[in-house]
Every structure is written in structure tokens, then in C-alpha cells.
Amino acid sequence: MADTSKNNIILSGMQPTGRLHLGNYEGALKNWVQLQNEFDMYACIVDWHALTSDFDATEQLPERIHQMAIDYIAAGLDPERTAIFVQSDVKEHAELHLLFSMIIPIPWLERVPSYKDKAEELGLDSYGFLGYPLLQAADILVYKAGWVPVGKDQVPHIELTREVARRFNTLYGEVFPEPQPKLTPFAAVPGIDGRKMSKSYENEIPLSLPEDDTRKRLKKMFTDPKKLRKGDPGRPEICPVYALHKIYNPDHETEIAPPCRSGELGCVDCKMKLADYLNDALRPLREHRTELENNPDAVKKALTMGADRARARASDTMKDVRKAMHLG
Ligand code: TRP
């Protein structure tokens, strides 16, 4: 097996859902921004993957991709250091996916845990949907990446990627490393309703939300259901608002928890304190975001530059792949 301990390449990706929210930021993006200091980083916006579910809403894709690129850069991914690019700008992903599709048994894909659940939940039955994790394997292996920063839910996809690499290497000779997941040190971010923050639950706080709207959104946030009014004792440990204080308010243990427990601090006041901390924390990102919104050409340029860099590496890999397979 190729030694990944010296492999300095990271690839990660997100589907272009549009504007990113706090959960995406805390759960992934913030970590990527750190990783770009130590690794050679490829940050992909996986638009082809989005087609596995949203094939009937493609007119929204360009704007979603643009907004996501803005969030990547505003959050601190540096286009000079990190290749920020759109998957469909680098056709090599598709070629490698096609070649993998010839050597991977269908049951390997049917076994991936997310497949059956999602197929039933969303009524998806396309060929491409079954191949979702194989396209993901191609995304990763086309850069010969050693590491993939992901959340726990994605670990089976990385396992499959390793199996794909192994099968290819066994059939045609050593071309691919076996990449490892790099688990995100994850602060679980609850949404407005207390469930995990997710666009599909419509409980998210977008990074781009203006300060006043952030206040309004937080005002609606669920709290300890037993604390009905100021004076009632609260339980910070089960309160989603407190979970956000833990992330954004360095003094949560002294400023929030004791007066919440005693009842002295009401939920509205507590939420407004949180709004101040959160707005302060996001202000630089939001300012950067506004600059980028006013300069769409700079964002396009970053994506072109990122795609050029990604393509250079991906096309080298494809030369090795074609040679190993005796293809032209
Ligand atoms: N499946 C990933 C998700 O839903 C997105 C993704 C596609 C990805 N290709 C990738 C993540 C490659 C990491 C590496 O989050």
C-alpha cells in the first residue's frame, strides 16, 4: 500500500446547497481553513453530486455555486493557497468515475448505509444515485489525496474509496494511495428548533444573515421547554441556545449558566446576549462576504484558478491510470 503518512494532499467537498450556515461552518469549513496551513488543499464544490437528487432544479445551480464559493473565501479559504473549484470544471472526475464503474460490483454500492435509507426517503432510483459514492471516490483519488476531512456520516464513503483504490491497484498495479478520513473535531450545532442545523430542516442560521435578522432568528430559538418565563429555573445542559453560547461566548460558564439555573436570567435576554456574541464573531466574515458579493469577477477568477490547479494534478493522475489500464 502506498504510504499515506507522507501524503500531504487533502481533498474535500460539499454539495452546492447555496448559502452556508453555522453548522457547515463549525462542522467543516472552519477546520478546512486551519488545514490549509499544513496541507495541500483541494476544496471542491460537487455540482455533479447535487444532480443525484436535484436533477430537476438545475437552473438554481450557478447561483448556489457562486454563493458557496463566496462563503468558502469569506470564511478564510485562501484561493492562492487552496484550490477552490467546481467539480464539473474538471472533467477528469467523470472519466475516473466511468473507469471505476467498470471494476466495482454493484453490491458494494448497494451496501453503503446511506444508499437504502436515502433511496427510500427521497424516492431516488437513478443509476447516478447508486453511483454517488463511486463518484466521490473518483473526486478523492483523482488527486491521490491522503486525507479527507469529513464528518462521521461520511466514513463509509471513505471506506469504499479505500476499497476502490485497493481493487484498482490489485488489477492494474499500484496507482492510488488509500486515503484516510480526518474526522472533524465537531461541535454539534443545533438549529433554531433544537435539531441538528440543516437546510433541509429549515432551521438554519446562514452565515450571510444580516445582524438584525440574526437577532430575530435567535429570538425564535427553542429553549428548555420547562422554563416558560423569567424566574423559572432553566437547564443549560439541554438548551440549544446554551449550546451556541458554548461556542460563541467565552464566558458562558459564569455569565449564562448560573443565572439561567437560578431563574434570574430570562430566555429573551439570554438570546440577545448570544446575538451580540454571534454577530461579533461573524462580523469579519460577513464584511468580507459583502466585498465578494460586490465583486463577482474576483470570485469567478478564484474558481478558474482553482480549476486550473486541480486539473493539472487530476490530468497527471489520469495519465497514470490510462497507462496502467493500457488505454489511450
Ligand atoms: N458526500 C459528501 C457530503 O455529502 C460530499 C462529497 C462529494 C465529498 N465528494 C466528496 C466529501 C469528496 C469529501 C470528499 O458531504
Side-chain angles (χ1 to χ4, degrees):
M1 185 184 97
D3 180 7
T4 45
S5 61
K6 292 190 209 78
N7 182 320
N8 213 28
I9 309 287
I10 284 199
L11 175 290
S12 204
M14 281 191 213
Q15 286 196 38
T17 46
R19 291 164 186 253
L20 294 180
H21 55 66
L22 277 187
N24 305 127
Y25 181 57
E26 295 298 333
L29 200 47
K30 215 166 163 178
N31 191 34
W32 299 6
V33 172
Q34 287 305 315
L35 291 169
Q36 73 180 341
N37 298 324
E38 290 167 62
F39 290 87
D40 200 355
M41 174 103 193
Y42 291 80
C44 187
I45 300 177
V46 293
D47 56 344
W48 283 332
H49 275 106
L51 299 179
T52 59
S53 50
D54 291 343
F55 54 84
D56 53 354
T58 54
E59 67 286 348
Q60 298 174 14
L61 267 177
E63 182 59 17
R64 287 185 176 177
I65 290 169
H66 182 69
Q67 291 300 332
M68 191 149 181
I70 290 180
D71 281 324
Y72 276 11
I73 301 170
L77 278 187
D78 173 2
E80 299 287 335
R81 282 188 287 165
T82 294
I84 304 173
F85 68 102
V86 181
Q87 185 185 35
S88 65
D89 281 340
V90 184
K91 310 299 182 201
E92 284 78 0
H93 293 229
E95 184 183 356
L96 189 57
H97 173 237
L98 175 98
L99 296 175
F100 285 162
S101 79
M102 304 298 170
I103 67 169
I104 300 305
I106 291 176
W108 287 21
L109 301 174
E110 288 172 332
R111 270 204 306 267
V112 173
S114 54
Y115 173 67
K116 277 208 175 66
D117 301 350
K118 275 210 164 175
E120 275 168 34
E121 187 189 324
L122 306 170
L124 297 172
D125 56 6
S126 73
Y127 174 51
F129 177 64
L130 177 64
Y132 182 114
L134 203 54
L135 179 57
Q136 182 165 350
D139 295 340
I140 297 165
L141 294 175
V142 86
Y143 299 99
K144 298 186 178 175
W147 302 97
V148 190
V150 283
K152 270 208 303 271
D153 63 312
Q154 292 292 311
V155 169
H157 290 179
I158 311 304
E159 289 288 315
L160 180 79
T161 302
R162 297 164 63 84
E163 285 170 19
V164 172
R166 234 175 279 146
R167 181 151 171 102
F168 186 100
N169 292 346
T170 307
L171 285 166
Y172 308 110
E174 201 71 31
V175 170
F176 295 113
E178 288 182 31
Q180 314 259 7
K182 207 173 204 13
L183 284 178
T184 312
F186 187 63
V189 181
I192 294 302
D193 59 4
R195 290 186 291 174
K196 181 182 170 190
M197 189 176 288
S198 161
K199 197 164 176 165
S200 51
Y201 294 153
E202 297 181 3
N203 65 357
E204 79 272 27
I205 300 173
L207 296 173
S208 56
L209 201 64
E211 297 200 358
D212 270 354
D213 295 332
T214 301
R215 281 181 183 283
K216 283 185 203 144
R217 221 72 247 245
L218 286 178
K219 241 186 204 162
K220 296 200 189 110
M221 193 152 179
F222 287 27
T223 56
D224 177 356
K226 286 197 175 151
K227 183 168 164 65
L228 298 176
R229 56 186 66 80
K230 191 171 170 181
D232 294 346
R235 294 168 295 172
E237 59 284 357
I238 62 145
C239 177
V241 173
Y242 189 70
L244 292 185
H245 268 289
K246 277 198 206 158
I247 306 176
Y248 295 104
N249 175 354
D251 298 326
H252 59 273
E253 278 179 26
T254 48
E255 189 188 357
I256 304 297
C260 168
R261 287 207 173 89
S262 73
E264 195 185 324
L265 177 65
C267 291
V268 177
D269 290 343
C270 172
K271 289 171 178 178
M272 291 305 96
K273 279 184 200 284
L274 174 62
D276 290 338
Y277 282 109
L278 184 58
N279 282 334
D280 285 349
L282 292 180
R283 196 162 298 122
L285 185 157
R286 284 168 169 164
E287 282 169 6
H288 194 181
R289 202 180 196 295
T290 308
E291 283 166 30
L292 292 163
E293 280 205 312
N294 293 330
N295 192 356
D297 286 347
V299 179
K300 290 211 169 66
K301 212 173 125 207
L303 290 179
T304 305
M305 194 168 77
D308 288 347
R309 273 202 19 227
R311 201 178 301 112
R313 186 165 174 93
S315 68
D316 279 350
T317 302
M318 288 316 296
K319 281 184 198 136
D320 298 345
V321 167
R322 289 183 210 116
K323 188 158 170 238
M325 292 181 79
H326 311 286
L327 296 169

